[in-house]
Short mmCIF file of all heavy atoms in Angstrom, two decimals:
data_model
loop_
_atom_site.label_atom_id
_atom_site.label_comp_id
_atom_site.label_asym_id
_atom_site.label_seq_id
_atom_site.Cartn_x
_atom_site.Cartn_y
_atom_site.Cartn_z
N PHE A 1 0.86 -1.23 0.00
CA PHE A 1 0.00 0.00 0.01
C PHE A 1 0.87 1.24 0.04
O PHE A 1 2.05 1.19 0.42
CB PHE A 1 -0.91 -0.01 1.17
CG PHE A 1 -0.20 0.07 2.59
CD1 PHE A 1 0.05 1.28 3.19
CD2 PHE A 1 0.20 -1.14 3.17
CE1 PHE A 1 0.67 1.28 4.38
CE2 PHE A 1 0.83 -1.09 4.37
CZ PHE A 1 1.07 0.11 5.02
N GLU A 2 0.35 2.36 -0.51
CA GLU A 2 1.07 3.56 -0.52
C GLU A 2 0.97 4.31 0.83
O GLU A 2 1.97 4.74 1.39
CB GLU A 2 0.58 4.45 -1.63
CG GLU A 2 1.33 5.83 -1.75
CD GLU A 2 0.85 6.60 -2.92
OE1 GLU A 2 0.18 6.05 -3.78
OE2 GLU A 2 1.12 7.85 -2.93
N ARG A 3 -0.30 4.42 1.31
CA ARG A 3 -0.54 5.07 2.59
C ARG A 3 -1.85 4.56 3.18
O ARG A 3 -2.80 4.40 2.47
CB ARG A 3 -0.60 6.58 2.42
CG ARG A 3 -0.86 7.30 3.71
CD ARG A 3 -0.70 8.79 3.61
NE ARG A 3 -1.36 9.34 2.46
CZ ARG A 3 -1.40 10.62 2.13
NH1 ARG A 3 -0.68 11.48 2.85
NH2 ARG A 3 -2.01 11.05 1.06
N MET A 4 -1.81 4.34 4.49
CA MET A 4 -3.01 3.89 5.21
C MET A 4 -3.10 4.71 6.47
O MET A 4 -2.18 4.80 7.22
CB MET A 4 -2.91 2.42 5.49
CG MET A 4 -4.20 1.71 5.89
SD MET A 4 -3.96 -0.09 6.03
CE MET A 4 -3.57 -0.56 4.36
N THR A 5 -4.28 5.33 6.65
CA THR A 5 -4.44 6.29 7.82
C THR A 5 -5.71 5.91 8.61
O THR A 5 -6.70 5.55 7.98
CB THR A 5 -4.58 7.73 7.27
OG1 THR A 5 -3.46 8.04 6.48
CG2 THR A 5 -4.69 8.69 8.46
N PHE A 6 -5.62 5.89 9.92
CA PHE A 6 -6.75 5.67 10.73
C PHE A 6 -6.92 6.89 11.61
O PHE A 6 -6.16 7.25 12.45
CB PHE A 6 -6.51 4.42 11.63
CG PHE A 6 -7.68 3.99 12.45
CD1 PHE A 6 -9.00 4.46 12.17
CD2 PHE A 6 -7.52 3.14 13.54
CE1 PHE A 6 -10.04 4.05 12.92
CE2 PHE A 6 -8.63 2.74 14.29
CZ PHE A 6 -9.91 3.21 13.99
N MET A 7 -8.04 7.63 11.38
CA MET A 7 -8.38 8.84 12.16
C MET A 7 -9.51 8.48 13.14
O MET A 7 -10.52 8.07 12.73
CB MET A 7 -8.80 9.98 11.25
CG MET A 7 -9.22 11.20 12.05
SD MET A 7 -9.73 12.60 11.09
CE MET A 7 -10.29 13.72 12.40
N ILE A 8 -9.19 8.77 14.40
CA ILE A 8 -10.18 8.53 15.50
C ILE A 8 -10.64 9.91 15.97
O ILE A 8 -9.82 10.65 16.49
CB ILE A 8 -9.60 7.69 16.66
CG1 ILE A 8 -9.11 6.30 16.13
CG2 ILE A 8 -10.64 7.48 17.69
CD1 ILE A 8 -8.34 5.56 17.17
N ASN A 9 -11.89 10.19 15.72
CA ASN A 9 -12.44 11.53 15.84
C ASN A 9 -12.98 11.67 17.32
O ASN A 9 -13.71 10.81 17.82
CB ASN A 9 -13.58 11.67 14.86
CG ASN A 9 -14.31 12.97 15.00
OD1 ASN A 9 -13.97 13.84 15.79
ND2 ASN A 9 -15.34 13.16 14.13
N PRO A 10 -12.72 12.78 18.03
CA PRO A 10 -13.19 12.95 19.37
C PRO A 10 -14.52 13.70 19.52
O PRO A 10 -15.00 13.89 20.63
CB PRO A 10 -12.06 13.77 20.05
CG PRO A 10 -11.59 14.65 18.91
CD PRO A 10 -11.74 13.84 17.67
N ASP A 11 -15.10 14.17 18.37
CA ASP A 11 -16.34 15.02 18.55
C ASP A 11 -17.36 14.76 17.42
O ASP A 11 -18.11 15.62 17.09
CB ASP A 11 -15.97 16.54 18.55
CG ASP A 11 -15.40 16.95 17.19
OD1 ASP A 11 -14.95 16.17 16.40
OD2 ASP A 11 -15.39 18.22 16.96
N GLU A 12 -17.46 13.47 16.99
CA GLU A 12 -18.42 13.13 15.93
C GLU A 12 -19.87 13.38 16.42
O GLU A 12 -20.71 13.83 15.59
CB GLU A 12 -18.21 11.68 15.50
CG GLU A 12 -19.01 11.29 14.25
CD GLU A 12 -20.42 10.83 14.48
OE1 GLU A 12 -20.77 10.55 15.72
OE2 GLU A 12 -21.22 10.67 13.53
N GLU A 13 -20.13 13.07 17.67
CA GLU A 13 -21.56 13.23 18.14
C GLU A 13 -21.92 14.68 18.22
O GLU A 13 -23.12 14.98 18.42
CB GLU A 13 -21.67 12.50 19.50
CG GLU A 13 -21.45 11.01 19.45
CD GLU A 13 -22.49 10.22 18.66
OE1 GLU A 13 -23.44 10.87 18.17
OE2 GLU A 13 -22.38 9.01 18.57
N LYS A 14 -20.94 15.60 18.17
CA LYS A 14 -21.26 17.05 18.17
C LYS A 14 -21.07 17.58 16.77
O LYS A 14 -20.68 18.79 16.65
CB LYS A 14 -20.36 17.75 19.23
CG LYS A 14 -20.60 17.28 20.63
CD LYS A 14 -19.73 17.99 21.56
CE LYS A 14 -19.99 17.57 23.07
NZ LYS A 14 -19.07 18.27 24.04
N SER A 15 -21.33 16.79 15.78
CA SER A 15 -21.22 17.19 14.38
C SER A 15 -19.82 17.42 13.87
O SER A 15 -19.61 18.05 12.83
CB SER A 15 -22.03 18.51 14.14
OG SER A 15 -23.41 18.23 14.34
N SER A 16 -18.81 16.95 14.62
CA SER A 16 -17.39 17.01 14.16
C SER A 16 -16.99 18.46 13.84
O SER A 16 -16.18 18.69 12.92
CB SER A 16 -17.16 16.13 12.92
OG SER A 16 -17.56 14.79 13.18
N LEU A 17 -17.44 19.43 14.65
CA LEU A 17 -17.19 20.79 14.33
C LEU A 17 -15.73 21.12 14.48
O LEU A 17 -15.23 21.98 13.65
CB LEU A 17 -18.00 21.67 15.38
CG LEU A 17 -19.49 21.58 15.26
CD1 LEU A 17 -20.16 22.49 16.34
CD2 LEU A 17 -20.01 21.95 13.89
N GLU A 18 -15.00 20.52 15.35
CA GLU A 18 -13.57 20.79 15.46
C GLU A 18 -12.66 19.89 14.59
O GLU A 18 -11.51 20.23 14.34
CB GLU A 18 -13.14 20.66 16.89
CG GLU A 18 -13.89 21.59 17.94
CD GLU A 18 -13.62 23.04 17.63
OE1 GLU A 18 -12.53 23.34 17.12
OE2 GLU A 18 -14.54 23.83 17.88
N SER A 19 -13.19 18.78 14.15
CA SER A 19 -12.40 17.83 13.39
C SER A 19 -12.76 17.66 11.93
O SER A 19 -12.06 17.06 11.13
CB SER A 19 -12.49 16.43 14.02
OG SER A 19 -13.86 16.02 14.04
N ARG A 20 -13.84 18.35 11.49
CA ARG A 20 -14.30 18.16 10.11
C ARG A 20 -13.26 18.60 9.05
O ARG A 20 -13.11 18.00 8.00
CB ARG A 20 -15.59 18.87 9.83
CG ARG A 20 -15.56 20.32 10.01
CD ARG A 20 -16.94 20.97 9.67
NE ARG A 20 -17.99 20.47 10.54
CZ ARG A 20 -19.28 20.61 10.31
NH1 ARG A 20 -19.67 21.42 9.35
NH2 ARG A 20 -20.17 20.19 11.14
N ASP A 21 -12.55 19.72 9.33
CA ASP A 21 -11.52 20.17 8.43
C ASP A 21 -10.42 19.15 8.21
O ASP A 21 -9.93 18.93 7.13
CB ASP A 21 -10.96 21.52 8.86
CG ASP A 21 -11.92 22.62 8.74
OD1 ASP A 21 -12.97 22.45 8.08
OD2 ASP A 21 -11.68 23.73 9.36
N MET A 22 -10.01 18.49 9.29
CA MET A 22 -9.03 17.44 9.21
C MET A 22 -9.54 16.21 8.43
O MET A 22 -8.82 15.66 7.60
CB MET A 22 -8.52 17.02 10.59
CG MET A 22 -7.45 15.93 10.54
SD MET A 22 -6.91 15.43 12.19
CE MET A 22 -5.96 16.88 12.65
N ILE A 23 -10.76 15.84 8.70
CA ILE A 23 -11.36 14.72 7.98
C ILE A 23 -11.40 14.98 6.46
O ILE A 23 -10.97 14.17 5.62
CB ILE A 23 -12.79 14.45 8.46
CG1 ILE A 23 -12.79 13.96 9.92
CG2 ILE A 23 -13.49 13.41 7.60
CD1 ILE A 23 -14.19 13.95 10.55
N ARG A 24 -11.82 16.21 6.13
CA ARG A 24 -11.91 16.55 4.68
C ARG A 24 -10.54 16.62 4.02
O ARG A 24 -10.34 16.19 2.92
CB ARG A 24 -12.67 17.90 4.55
CG ARG A 24 -14.12 17.78 5.04
CD ARG A 24 -14.81 19.17 5.01
NE ARG A 24 -15.03 19.59 3.63
CZ ARG A 24 -16.14 19.28 2.94
NH1 ARG A 24 -17.07 18.52 3.45
NH2 ARG A 24 -16.30 19.81 1.74
#
């Protein structure tokens, strides 16, 4: 594989307001 990333989000239940930019 070239790259494999696992992102564990701390605020999904609050609409990912602080993490959505990183997800995108």
Side-chain angles (χ1 to χ4, degrees):
F1 60 93
E2 182 178 343
R3 178 170 49 180
M4 199 174 291
T5 305
F6 186 17
M7 178 179 173
I8 302 174
N9 177 2
D11 67 340
E12 192 272 348
E13 298 292 0
K14 296 181 179 179
S15 296
S16 305
L17 296 179
E18 302 297 330
S19 57
R20 63 177 59 190
D21 290 344
M22 180 179 289
I23 294 169
R24 295 174 71 87

